[in-house]
C-alpha cells in the first residue's frame, strides 16, 4: 500500500508575479520566460490532491452513480457502467462519502441488509432517501473505479457508539456479531477504509460547535472509532483520521479554529491522534451564490478567477498556524471541499446545487491544483465538490445520457502529476486585467514522475491573447515536448449532451531548440506536456 500523506522533504515553489501589463502594448508580444532546474526536487504531489466527493445530494449519487440493478441503463450491480468507465480513466485516488452536511444526518444501519429503511434527506431539499446506496454499494463502486474510501462519519446527529460500530462492521476480520452480519450481507473480507473524516463543518451544518466543543468530540471519536482491518495495522497502511478544520477564510473565527485543534494536537496524549485537518473553501464571491455558471462574460470570468486565487493565501495562513505546533508537517492540510459554487441552473431544484461547468471551471481547477502542488509539503489531500451532477462536477448525467465536463478533462490531463515530485519553476507571470480586477496572466508548475520524466503545466488565464512561454530547462537535455491542450472559443463554453466535445483536449506540441522549450499556448487554455 502506498504511503499516504508522506512526510515531505524541503522544496519551495518560486513564483514571481511581475506587473508586466502595460496598457497599450500588445501583451501577446510579452514573452514569458520560465526556468526549471530538473535536477531539483521538492515535495511529493500526493495523488490524494485529486480526490473526489460524492454526497447524497440531488442526483450526485442517485441517478449519477446508482441506477439500481433493474435499470435499463447499463449497470453492474446497480452502478452505471458509463460513469464507472469515465472515473476509472481519471485514476480517482479516493472518494469522500456520504457528505458533506448529509454525513451528519446519515445513519449507516439504514443502508445495509436486504430491507432498507426509507428516510429523509433534510440537508438537501427534504427529499426521500431510499438508502439503496449504502455501505456495500459505496465500497463496490470504489472497487469498480479503483479508488479508496474516505468515509465521513456522523458526529452531528450520530454517536460515538454508532460510528465505532460502523467501523467494526466494515473492518473486523473477527467473527463478531457485526463482522458476521457484514459477511451475511455479502462481504466476508474486511473492507479497507483509507481515510476517516471525523465530522463535517462542525462549526456550521455539522452542529454549530465552538472549537472547544468540537475538540471534546474529536478526542472521543478519535479514540473509539477504530479500524480493525488486520491489513491496516502497520503504520504505512493505517487509516488516517481527518479532523474538521476551518472554513474558507483568514478571519479570526477560522484562525481560532485551526489554532485550537493544532494546539491541542501538539499536547495530545496517546489516547487520541489525528493525521489531517480539513479546510473547506469554495469559490463563491458572496452568499447566496449568484454568479452564473453559463452565459457570463469576461468581467465575471476574471472576478471568479480572482476569487479562486484567494485559496493560496488561505492555505498560507492556516499552514503558518499549523507550522507553529507541527513544524515537521506531520499533520496534512486536506482541502476536502473546494470548487466553484454558482447560482442554481434556472428550472432546477435549488437544493440540488445543479450548475453548468465551463472552460472557466477548467481554468479555475488548474489554478487550484497548481496552488495545492506548490503547497504539497502541507496540503496532502483535496476533494473537489462534487463528482457528479453537483456543483463543479466531473460528469453530468440525465437518465441514460452522460457528458464529461471541462473540469473532468483537466483532472485527466493532470494524471501525470499524481505522486510526482514537485520541481520549482521561476517565471514572470505578467498581468491580465478585466472586470475591475488584475490577475497573473500565466500560471505554471513542473514535476517529475516516478520514471524521472519532467512534466510542465501552463495555464493561460488571458482569454484574448495567446502566450509564448519559453522554458529554459537545466538538469535535462530536452529534445521534444508534447502533450495536450484544452481551450474553446468562449470562456463560458460548456459540453452538453448534444454537443459533448465543445471543450475537449487536443494534441499539443512545443518547439524545442537548444534545450529551450517554446510553448505557444492559446488564450484561456490549460496545457500539459511531457519533456523528453
Ligand atoms: O458541497 C455542498 C455542501 O457544502 C456540503 O454538504 C457542505 O459540507 C458544504 O457546506
Amino acid at each position: 500500500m502506498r504511503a499516504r500523506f508522506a512526510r515531505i522533504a524541503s522544496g519551495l515553489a518560486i513564483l514571481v508575479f511581475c506587473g508586466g501589463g502595460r496598457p497599450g502594448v500588445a501583451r501577446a508580444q510579452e514573452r514569458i520566460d520560465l526556468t526549471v532546474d530538473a535536477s531539483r526536487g521538492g515535495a511529493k504531489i500526493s495523488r490524494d490532491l485529486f480526490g473526489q466527493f460524492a454526497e447524497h445530494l440531488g442526483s450526485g449519487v442517485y441517478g449519477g452513480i446508482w441506477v439500481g440493478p433493474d435499470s435499463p441503463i447499463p449497470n453492474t450491480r446497480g452502478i452505471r457502467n458509463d460513469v464507472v468507465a469515465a472515473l476509472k480513466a481519471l485514476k480517482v485516488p479516493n472518494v469522500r462519502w456520504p457528505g458533506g452536511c448529509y454525513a451528519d444526518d446519515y445513519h449507516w444501519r439504514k443502508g445495509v441488509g436486504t430491507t432498507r429503511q426509507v428516510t429523509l434527506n433534510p440537508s438537501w431539499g427534504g427529499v426521500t432517501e431510499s438508502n439503496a446506496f449504502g455501505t456495500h454499494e459505496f465500497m463496490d463502486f470504489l472497487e469498480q473505479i479503483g479508488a479508496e474510501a474516505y468515509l465521513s462519519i456522523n458526529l452531528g446527529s450520530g454517536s460515538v457508539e454508532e460510528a465505532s460500530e460502523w467501523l467494526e462492521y466494515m473492518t473486523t476480520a473477527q467473527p463478531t456479531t457485526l463482522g458476521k452480519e457484514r459477511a451475511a450481507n455479502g462481504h466476508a473480507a474486511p473492507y479497507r477504509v483509507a481515510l476517516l473524516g471525523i465530522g463535517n463543518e462542525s462549526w456550521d451544518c455539522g452542529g454549530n460547535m465552538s472549537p472547544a466543543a468540537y475538540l471534546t468530540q474529536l478526542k472521543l471519536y478519535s479514540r473509539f472509532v477504530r479500524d480493525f482491518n488486520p491489513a491496516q495495522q502497520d503504520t504505512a497502511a493505517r487509516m488516517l483520521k481527518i479532523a474538521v478544520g476551518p472554513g474558507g477564510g483568514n478571519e479570526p473565527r477560522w484562525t481560532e479554529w485551526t489554532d485550537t485543534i493544532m494546539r491541542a494536537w501538539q499536547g495530545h496524549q496517546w489516547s487520541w491522534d489525528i493525521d489531517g485537518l480539513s479546510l473547506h473553501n469554495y469559490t463563491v464571491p458572496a452568499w447566496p451564490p449568484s454568479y452564473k455558471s453559463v452565459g457570463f462574460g469576461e468581467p465575471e470570468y476574471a472576478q471568479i478567477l480572482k476569487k479562486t486565487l484567494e485559496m493560496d493565501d488561505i492555505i498560507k495562513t492556516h499552514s503558518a498556524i499549523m507550522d507553529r505546533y507541527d513544524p515537521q508537517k506531520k499533520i496534512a492540510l486536506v482541502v476536502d471541499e473546494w470548487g466553484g459554487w454558482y447560482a442554481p441552473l434556472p428550472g432546477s431544484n435549488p437544493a440540488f446545487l445543479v450548475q453548468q461547468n465551463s472552460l472557466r471551471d477548467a481554468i479555475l481547477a488548474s489554478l487550484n491544483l497548481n496552488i495545492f502542488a506548490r503547497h504539497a509539503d502541507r496540503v496532502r489531500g483535496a476533494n473537489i465538490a462534487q463528482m457528479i451532477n453537483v456543483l463543479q462536477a466531473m460528469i453530468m448525467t440525465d437518465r441514460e445520457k452522460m457528458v464529461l465536463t471541462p473540469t473532468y478533462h483537466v483532472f485527466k490531463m493532470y494524471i501525470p502529476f499524481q505522486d510526482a515530485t514537485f520541481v520549482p519553476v521561476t517565471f514572470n507571470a505578467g498581468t491580465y486585467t478585466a472586470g475591475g480586477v488584475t490577475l497573473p496572466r500565466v500560471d505554471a508548475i513542473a514535476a517529475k514522475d516516478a520514471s524521472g520524466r519532467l512534466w510542465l503545466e501552463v495555464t493561460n488565464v488571458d482569454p484574448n491573447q495567446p502566450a509564448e512561454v519559453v522554458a529554459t530547462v537545466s538538469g535535462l537535455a530536452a529534445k521534444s515536448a508534447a502533450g495536450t491542450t484544452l481551450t474553446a472559443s468562449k470562456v463560458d463554453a460548456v459540453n452538453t449532451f448534444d454537443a459533448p466535445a465543445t471543450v475537449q483536449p487536443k494534441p499539443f506540441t512545443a518547439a524545442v531548440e537548444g534545450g529551450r522549450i517554446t510553448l505557444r499556448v492559446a488564450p484561456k487554455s490549460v496545457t500539459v506536456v511531457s519533456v523528453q
Side-chain angles (χ1 to χ4, degrees):
M1 137 72 193
R2 66 204 150 80
R4 281 174 182 269
F5 300 166
R7 310 291 189 239
I8 305 302
S10 66
L12 287 176
I14 304 165
L15 180 62
V16 189
F17 289 154
C18 292
R22 283 162 286 156
V25 175
R27 282 171 294 167
Q29 293 167 2
E30 292 173 9
R31 198 177 85 172
I32 309 282
D33 287 313
L34 183 148
T35 55
V36 197
D37 180 354
S39 66
R40 288 186 61 192
K44 179 163 116 179
I45 301 169
S46 170
R47 63 188 297 252
D48 286 319
L49 293 179
F50 302 87
Q52 299 286 334
F53 172 33
E55 180 164 14
H56 288 233
L57 193 179
S59 52
V61 169
Y62 296 106
I65 299 173
W66 179 258
V67 288
D70 301 328
S71 169
I73 298 170
N75 69 83
T76 302
R77 295 180 293 279
I79 295 163
R80 44 191 306 169
N81 294 344
D82 52 356
V83 165
V84 165
L87 293 173
K88 219 171 159 179
L90 213 51
K91 296 200 187 305
V92 175
N94 70 75
V95 181
R96 181 169 177 257
W97 175 85
C101 296
Y102 180 71
D104 285 307
D105 283 319
Y106 186 65
H107 300 284
W108 69 273
R109 276 219 148 274
K110 298 175 180 171
V112 296
T114 44
T115 313
R116 304 289 170 97
Q117 281 188 43
V118 177
T119 56
L120 291 172
N121 187 333
S123 285
W124 301 113
V127 296
T128 55
E129 161 63 58
S130 68
N131 283 297
F133 190 86
T135 303
H136 290 259
E137 292 74 21
F138 173 59
M139 297 307 285
D140 187 10
F141 167 61
L142 293 186
E143 202 176 314
Q144 290 189 39
I145 67 169
E148 294 205 280
Y150 180 175
L151 217 61
S152 201
I153 53 174
N154 184 341
L155 182 139
S157 68
S159 65
V160 178
E161 183 183 19
E162 182 187 17
S164 82
E165 286 185 358
W166 193 11
L167 267 286
E168 183 190 325
Y169 176 87
M170 290 186 75
T171 64
T172 186
Q174 308 258 49
T176 66
T177 303
L178 285 168
K180 287 199 274 187
E181 188 182 344
R182 182 195 67 235
N185 285 336
H187 207 273
Y191 285 121
R192 187 184 137 73
V193 178
L195 300 157
L196 188 82
I198 303 180
N200 173 76
E201 298 191 355
S202 303
W203 29 262
D204 187 44
C205 69
N208 201 12
M209 297 175 201
S210 66
Y214 173 71
L215 187 58
T216 305
Q217 295 300 311
L218 174 65
K219 290 176 181 173
L220 294 173
Y221 279 79
S222 165
R223 168 83 183 118
F224 295 111
V225 183
R226 300 176 173 103
D227 172 21
F228 297 103
N229 188 326
Q232 285 187 270
Q233 298 310 305
D234 73 71
T235 314
R238 78 198 157 79
M239 177 182 80
L240 302 181
K241 297 178 178 176
I242 315 300
V244 169
N250 291 332
E251 298 89 333
R253 177 186 180 201
W254 302 125
T255 52
E256 186 199 338
W257 189 283
T258 301
D259 194 85
T260 304
I261 307 300
M262 290 305 297
R263 185 193 299 267
W265 174 81
Q266 188 189 37
H268 80 99
Q269 303 196 328
W270 68 268
S271 56
W272 74 278
D273 202 355
I274 55 171
D275 303 281
L277 185 72
S278 80
L279 167 71
H280 288 186
N281 180 36
Y282 286 96
T283 300
V284 51
W287 291 98
S290 58
Y291 275 66
K292 291 201 275 183
S293 59
V294 67
F296 54 84
E298 194 176 336
E300 294 81 10
Y301 166 78
Q303 286 153 13
I304 285 291
L305 295 185
K306 172 90 176 166
K307 184 73 192 165
T308 217
L309 289 172
E310 289 177 11
M311 179 70 89
D312 189 52
D313 237 24
I314 292 167
I315 288 174
K316 279 186 185 137
T317 298
H318 292 281
S319 296
I321 299 170
M322 295 173 82
D323 284 349
R324 256 186 253 148
Y325 303 107
D326 173 29
Q328 291 177 298
K329 300 189 193 298
K330 290 182 177 166
I331 304 296
L333 188 59
V334 180
V335 190
D336 56 13
E337 287 190 29
W338 68 275
W341 191 327
Y342 311 122
L345 278 186
S348 68
N349 182 338
F352 288 1
L353 311 186
V354 181
Q355 61 189 44
Q356 252 300 356
N357 193 296
S358 69
L359 179 63
R360 177 179 66 185
D361 294 297
I363 290 172
L364 183 154
S366 76
L367 294 175
N368 279 280
L369 292 172
N370 291 358
I371 291 168
F372 300 154
R374 285 186 200 104
H375 292 286
D377 55 348
R378 178 67 83 180
V379 180
R380 302 197 288 274
N383 299 73
I384 189 166
Q386 297 193 6
M387 192 161 64
I388 303 165
N389 292 330
V390 177
L391 299 177
Q392 189 175 343
M394 305 294 113
I395 293 174
M396 297 173 91
T397 64
D398 181 14
R399 290 173 296 256
E400 78 289 353
K401 290 182 259 178
M402 180 191 86
V403 68
L404 306 177
T405 67
T407 303
Y408 174 95
H409 293 305
V410 168
F411 270 67
K412 189 135 185 240
M413 290 164 71
Y414 270 73
I415 287 174
F417 291 94
Q418 292 195 10
D419 280 346
T421 303
F422 184 79
V423 176
V425 294
T426 311
F427 60 97
N428 169 353
T431 56
Y432 153 68
T433 302
V437 297
T438 296
L439 303 169
R441 181 159 71 99
V442 163
D443 192 24
I445 58 162
K448 270 183 297 190
D449 67 18
S451 72
R453 180 177 296 181
L454 184 71
W455 292 84
L456 283 177
E457 190 284 331
V458 173
T459 303
N460 184 6
V461 171
D462 191 327
N464 306 309
Q465 303 286 347
E468 185 179 69
V469 179
V470 178
T472 305
V473 183
S474 56
L476 178 90
K479 291 190 189 63
S480 65
T484 48
T485 192
L486 187 75
T487 187
S489 59
K490 302 183 303 171
V491 285
D492 70 336
V494 298
N495 292 334
T496 62
F497 299 114
D498 297 329
T502 305
V503 191
Q504 183 86 355
K506 303 237 162 54
F508 179 90
T509 308
V512 181
E513 216 185 303
R516 291 201 323 171
I517 305 169
T518 303
L519 299 103
R520 291 188 182 86
V521 295
K524 50 183 164 4
S525 63
V526 177
T527 304
V528 173
V529 296
S530 76
V531 181
Q532 318 265 4

